[in-house]
Amino acid sequence: MSELDGKQLDTLLSLELQETAIDEGKDDFMERIRAMYVAGGANSYTNVLINSSDFYDVLMRIELVTRVAKHDNDELEDLLAQYRELEKTKAELDEQIKQLKAKAEEYAKEQKSLADEQAELLKMEQESGELIEKIKNDKSDLEDKSQQVDDKYSKVSSKAATTTTTTTTTAKTTKKADSTKAATTTKKSGESGEKTTTTKKSTQNEKPDNTTAETTTTPQTTTTAKATEPPKTTTTAAPAPVPDSSDSSKIDTVVSYAKSMVGGAYIWGGSQFGATDCSGLVMLSFAQVGIKLPHYAASQATYGTTVSYANMKKGDVIFFGGASISSIYHVAIYIGDGKMVHAQNSATGIVISNVEYFSRYNNITIIKRLI
């Protein structure tokens, strides 16, 4: 689109130069006609011949008249050729403007399609975010329940181990006690060795007591270690992202809105979406981020901070005119990559142009940064 716009700008300049040349040639020719009329009216050529002094003078005057007539004929032919070239240039310009409008309409459709896709993508991202949030919450609940089950299992296992050990130890002690009792009874049937038998009974009774104490203590220590294990870390779902309200986001909003109007009509004094003039486009675009501007290019140039052409960045506003702000007659929004979007004129409408190309024919007065 910007290339087509550049070509039509070149053609438009060529057309203006041709019209200027034709006007100058036409003025010169009409001045000669007027001079001849004043000198002798429509019969001036005849008067020149009649007023000759002799035959040779007549010949000289005829030669002069012939040359003058040839010069006039050449000028007329040149003017006619320029008019034919002018008509050809006009037709070429009309075709370029037609192509530019078609490209702008195509761009507008693509922008709308892109906007719809972005909206659908945003919806999918939101739905995916909600689903991920739910999965994270479910995972957190499952981890909590798993931790509770592990704790219960540890307690049950500890109790089961303690009960089994105690039962086994008691059975062994009872068996040993019965054996000792039987041995003691056998020894008592004889009178000798009673004291020794009593001593052995005492020794045997002490060993089971110590064994029972040691065996019982071991599982209790194990149970204590399980109880003091640190609990597993529970994952907490991250909060939803907060919308970015930075300057970059605002600039993107302004530029996107301005680009969405490409393909619209140039309406002098208009301020509606897709039907506006250059300052109206700027005013509507910046209103999307809460920046209120007047509907007049020269007044808009008094807002913001002045920046140089070399430091220009996306979202800056370019004003065209003479050397002073009061001479400003056009305004555009820079969208990056050397391009700008603007409501150009009634012939082309709202288009994207190359800044460098456009500024060849339109002087940049000032560049302002509003964000």
Side-chain angles (χ1 to χ4, degrees), residues 297-325:
S299 297
Q300 291 175 352
T302 62
Y303 287 71
T305 305
T306 302
V307 295
S308 65
Y309 184 88
N311 293 324
M312 184 170 56
K313 72 175 187 178
K314 186 170 73 171
D316 289 345
V317 186
I318 311 171
F319 296 90
F320 300 89
S324 64
I325 289 180

Side-chain angles (χ1 to χ4, degrees), residues 234-302:
T234 303
T235 304
T236 305
V242 179
D244 185 15
S245 59
S246 64
D247 290 347
S248 178
S249 177
K250 290 181 180 179
I251 291 171
D252 288 341
T253 299
V254 170
V255 170
S256 296
Y257 185 84
K259 288 165 67 176
S260 69
M261 283 196 282
V262 169
Y266 175 96
I267 304 297
W268 189 85
S271 59
Q272 299 297 320
F273 178 85
T276 180
D277 58 11
C278 61
S279 59
L281 182 144
V282 174
M283 179 183 70
L284 291 172
S285 299
F286 280 91
Q288 305 307 307
V289 293
I291 297 178
K292 296 181 180 180
L293 298 173
H295 193 175
Y296 184 54
S299 297
Q300 291 175 352
T302 62

Side-chain angles (χ1 to χ4, degrees), residues 42 47 50 52 62 73-74 96 104 125 133 145 152 159 199 210 240 255 257 269 290-291 296 300 315 336 351-352:
N47 290 336
I50 292 174
S52 301
I62 289 174
N73 287 335
D74 290 342
Q96 289 174 346
E125 287 177 347
E133 190 76 14
K145 290 179 180 179
K152 289 181 179 179
K159 288 181 179 179
T199 303
N210 292 337
V255 170
Y257 185 84
I291 297 178
Y296 184 54
Q300 291 175 352
V351 295
I352 291 176

